[in-house]
Amino acid sequence: TSMASAQAVGEKTMAEFGRIDGLVNNAALYGALRGGKFDAIDESQWDAAMAVNVKGIWHCCKAVAGSMRAAGKGSIVNIASLAATYGMPYALHYTTSKAAVIGLTRGLARELGRDNIRVNSVAPSAVVTEGTREFFGAKYDKALETIKQGQSIQRNLNPEDLVGTVGWLLSDASAFVTGQTISVDGGT
């Protein structure tokens, strides 16, 4: 949520490596959020989700854009969520923040495309992580089973399942792909 912190990471990366080729915006507030009916979500929870999940990405993009412009290219990959396109109930703050990530991705792709900087997002289904366990709490096993049953590929998503898509988006193999949101969701 801090522009100064994001800028410091960008500056440290430039000092150590001399350039920034890619950025993956993967930090998100998820596990610590308390779900519930939309009109029962605490305003501080709403604000926290927006501050980390949207404003944090904005800060990180701002922190690297100048270096990428100077290099004449770059790739930014924002981690969105299937929640944004599916419309996950009882987590409107999270769902809305991830929908904002998709909008930010598309708008920024148009803005930075002239500088040969690509901006895309990946929208995974629920990834088997501690954050997902924390978010679903006692309903974790049932939630993962329900998610799995709604997919063409009948297993849950692990962090390793995202590596290929993210790596491709960062690589020159996707040099003409920008403004896209790729679902990694087992065919939901």
Side-chain angles (χ1 to χ4, degrees):
T1 62
S2 164
M3 184 60 212
S5 176
Q7 194 67 42
V9 169
E11 290 169 1
K12 184 175 180 181
T13 302
M14 283 299 293
E16 189 165 334
F17 298 103
R19 67 181 205 235
I20 299 174
D21 300 313
L23 168 68
V24 177
N25 282 306
N26 187 44
L29 190 59
Y30 176 54
L33 292 175
R34 295 295 152 248
K37 292 182 179 180
F38 84 96
D39 52 351
I41 293 172
D42 184 77
E43 186 174 350
S44 66
Q45 289 265 302
W46 181 277
D47 292 344
M50 298 304 154
V52 173
N53 300 357
V54 183
K55 189 177 180 182
I57 287 177
W58 177 57
H59 283 319
C60 291
C61 290
K62 285 172 42 178
V64 303
S67 300
M68 289 181 175
R69 278 188 186 112
K73 69 176 192 169
S75 178
I76 298 171
V77 179
N78 299 320
I79 306 301
S81 173
L82 179 63
T85 56
Y86 183 78
M88 185 168 75
Y90 308 110
L92 192 62
H93 43 358
Y94 180 75
T95 300
T96 302
S97 73
K98 291 303 187 170
V101 170
I102 293 171
L104 184 151
T105 297
R106 289 187 176 159
L108 200 54
R110 289 199 157 293
E111 197 169 320
L112 293 177
R114 291 181 178 101
D115 297 308
N116 201 31
I117 300 169
R118 296 175 294 112
V119 187
N120 293 287
S121 62
V122 175
S125 58
V127 184
V128 178
T129 64
E130 285 304 313
T132 300
R133 180 178 295 283
E134 184 179 355
F135 182 79
F136 285 115
K139 297 177 183 177
Y140 176 77
D141 291 331
K142 183 177 181 184
L144 286 185
E145 185 59 30
T146 300
I147 291 165
K148 182 171 69 175
Q149 293 304 315
Q151 298 173 170
S152 298
I153 298 173
Q154 297 279 299
R155 68 173 179 79
N156 291 115
L157 178 66
N158 292 299
E160 298 80 23
D161 293 320
L162 297 169
V163 172
T165 304
V166 172
W168 178 73
L169 288 171
L170 289 171
S171 77
D172 289 340
S174 63
F176 207 63
V177 177
T178 195
Q180 301 304 305
T181 298
I182 299 174
S183 295
V184 180
D185 63 0
T188 302

